[in-house]
């Protein structure tokens, strides 16, 4: 076991991948000598060379288009998008090319491309640097989408993403990059597309992913002081979604709150709430409740704390559920 930040865990996971898979390589803006704006790839170019850790032009569509071609030739590209809001010039390549190539070729071709995207707010930045666009990609069949909330998952998920035959988008919670945790470098936490129950409870189920998992755990601790036992689920995978784990929890607790930084309107929480309402209709003691960002462009830095879901908003949603 080693103690690492999430940033260091991703770095070590990438190092492990580059070491064991000669077909893997990194590409992105400023990821080489600089090590990326968050220093996630720091030291990797010096260790593996410029042919394995490549700086690219400022052209996201070119990065993903090149990665697709390389993947079709048997390589395993790992692309970094510098900021979440910078991914949209490559949206066409990701959703109409990467996501469709296996079906389009009747399974004869695959595009094992990994796309790393730092996402979410909480860093004092502005729009285009603090977006949560995961629902836009989750709507596209053919993509797998995962997001770690802790260092151990970060270390393993990046390696598991590279091993996947399908294109995988890894949304990395940038405001948690410096959060520390224990990393077991010998034993994998299992299927990256399965949710984890990170706190047992009996009165309500609180589902979160990525940057909001620590907030959900804090809300559950606060609710316990008022006598409520809240079960917390780290979703981990946004596409596919592990509905079975959520269903089993809600059948036990009778209440569901889903939280994410992205706006509630059109968000992942709506899909979870709808699906669980169908599956757990006779177990629910209250309607499923969503907590998320507001349906507006990301605000200026000095008011983002009012935009981002916090403990108080989660507790308010739990109180509404308990009131039924």
């Amino acid at each position: 076991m080693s103690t690492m930040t999430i940033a260091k865990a991703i770095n070590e996971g990438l190092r492990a991948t580059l070491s064991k898979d000669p077909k893997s390589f990194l590409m992105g803006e400023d990821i080489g000598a600089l090590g990326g704006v968050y220093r996630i790839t720091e030291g990797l170019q010096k260790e593996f060379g410029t042919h394995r850790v490549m700086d690219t032009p400022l052209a996201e569509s070119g990065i993903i288009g090149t990665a697709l071609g390389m993947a079709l030739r048997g390589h395993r590209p790992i692309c970094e998008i510098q900021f979440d809001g910078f991914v949209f010039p490559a949206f066409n390549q990701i959703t109409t090319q990467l996501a469709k190539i296996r079906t389009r070729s009747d399974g004869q071709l695959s595009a094992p491309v990994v796309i790393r995207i730092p996402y979410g707010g909480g860093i004092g930045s502005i729009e285009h640097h603090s977006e949560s666009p995961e629902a836009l990609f989750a709507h596209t069949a053919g993509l797998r989408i995962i997001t770690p909330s802790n260092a151990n998952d970060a270390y393993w998920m990046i390696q598991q993403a590279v091993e996947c035959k399908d294109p995988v988008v890894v949304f990395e919670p940038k405001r948690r990059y410096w959060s520390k945790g224990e990393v077991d470098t010998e034993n994998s936490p299992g299927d990256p597309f399965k949710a984890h129950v990170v706190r047992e409870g009996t009165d309500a189920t609180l589902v979160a992913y990525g940057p909001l998992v620590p907030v959900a755990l804090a809300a559950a601790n606060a609710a316990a002081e008022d006598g409520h036992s809240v079960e917390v689920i780290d979703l981990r995978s946004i596409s596919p979604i592990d509905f079975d784990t959520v269903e089993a929890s809600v059948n036990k607790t009778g209440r569901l709150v889903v939280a994410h930084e992205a706006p509630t309107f059109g968000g992942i929480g709506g899909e979870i709430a709808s699906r669980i309402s169908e599956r757990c209709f006779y177990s629910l003691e209250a309607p499923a409740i969503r907590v998320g960002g507001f349906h507006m462009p990301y605000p200026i830095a000095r008011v983002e704390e009012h935009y981002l879901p916090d403990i108080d908003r989660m507790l308010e949603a739990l109180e509404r559920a308990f009131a039924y």
Side-chain angles (χ1 to χ4, degrees):
M1 300 290 288
S2 302
T3 300
M4 303 182 194
T5 63
I6 289 179
K8 179 63 174 176
I10 298 171
N11 179 277
E12 289 298 326
L14 291 171
R15 177 173 284 105
T17 290
L18 292 170
S19 297
K20 66 186 177 184
D21 186 353
K23 290 291 187 179
S24 64
F25 67 93
L26 311 182
M27 58 191 301
E29 299 163 5
D30 301 319
I31 69 166
L34 181 64
V37 293
Y38 294 105
R39 305 299 187 267
I40 303 300
T41 55
E42 190 170 38
L44 296 180
Q45 187 179 76
K46 183 177 180 180
E47 184 174 346
F48 295 97
T50 56
H51 65 295
R52 300 286 305 282
V53 183
M54 295 180 282
D55 284 314
T56 67
L58 304 182
E60 285 75 17
S61 60
I63 293 172
I64 303 304
T66 301
L68 172 58
M70 295 292 284
L72 293 177
R73 298 293 293 177
H75 296 275
R76 289 187 174 269
I78 306 165
C79 307
E80 177 180 301
I81 303 297
Q82 198 169 74
F83 285 96
D84 35 48
F86 294 1
V87 71
F88 296 110
F91 191 79
N92 180 48
Q93 281 77 12
I94 295 171
T95 58
T96 68
Q97 302 299 327
L98 278 181
K100 305 296 193 295
I101 193 69
R102 175 176 279 196
T103 301
R104 187 180 298 147
S105 66
D106 196 23
Q108 297 181 63
L109 300 174
S110 62
V113 175
V114 173
I115 305 169
R116 295 179 42 245
I117 305 178
Y119 81 121
I123 63 167
S125 194
I126 55 174
E127 62 174 337
H128 309 313
H129 296 73
S130 299
E131 311 293 333
S132 297
E134 60 269 21
L136 299 177
F137 293 95
H139 189 69
T140 300
L143 294 176
R144 293 177 180 263
I145 303 170
I146 54 179
T147 178
S149 67
N150 58 77
N152 196 58
D153 272 354
Y155 174 78
W156 286 104
M157 276 183 168
I158 190 63
Q159 298 177 68
Q160 292 167 323
V162 177
E163 294 167 357
C164 185
K165 292 183 178 180
D166 295 315
V168 181
V169 181
V170 183
F171 279 101
E172 301 171 2
K174 67 168 82 79
R175 67 164 155 150
R176 305 298 179 193
Y177 272 147
W178 301 276
S179 299
K180 292 184 178 181
E182 293 294 315
V183 177
D184 184 347
T185 58
E186 298 297 327
N187 301 296
S188 163
D191 188 347
F193 306 110
K194 299 292 287 184
H196 284 171
V197 177
V198 293
R199 179 191 170 106
E200 299 280 350
T202 57
D203 299 335
T205 299
L206 178 53
V207 175
Y209 56 81
L212 284 196
V213 172
V215 183
L217 287 168
N221 289 335
E225 296 178 3
D226 292 330
H228 297 301
S229 175
V230 176
E231 184 151 293
V232 178
I233 294 178
D234 180 352
L235 202 61
R236 303 177 75 239
S237 176
I238 297 171
S239 182
I241 292 174
D242 179 9
F243 290 108
D244 291 343
T245 296
V246 180
E247 178 183 0
S249 177
V250 173
N251 279 333
K252 176 178 66 174
T253 67
R255 294 174 175 85
L256 172 66
V257 174
V258 186
H260 49 63
E261 279 193 19
T264 54
F265 184 86
I268 298 298
E271 179 63 29
I272 297 172
S274 177
R275 191 74 63 96
I276 294 303
S277 294
E278 292 178 6
R279 290 193 180 192
C280 303
F281 182 78
Y282 292 105
S283 298
L284 284 167
E285 302 289 340
I289 298 174
R290 296 170 294 154
V291 178
F294 303 115
H295 191 47
M296 58 176 286
Y298 199 86
I300 58 175
R302 60 186 174 180
V303 298
E304 72 172 342
E305 64 183 85
H306 302 293
Y307 173 86
L308 294 171
D310 58 10
I311 294 175
D312 289 338
R313 280 162 65 181
M314 288 192 191
L315 288 174
E316 188 272 337
L318 286 168
E319 287 301 324
R320 286 168 55 199
F322 291 135
Y324 281 88

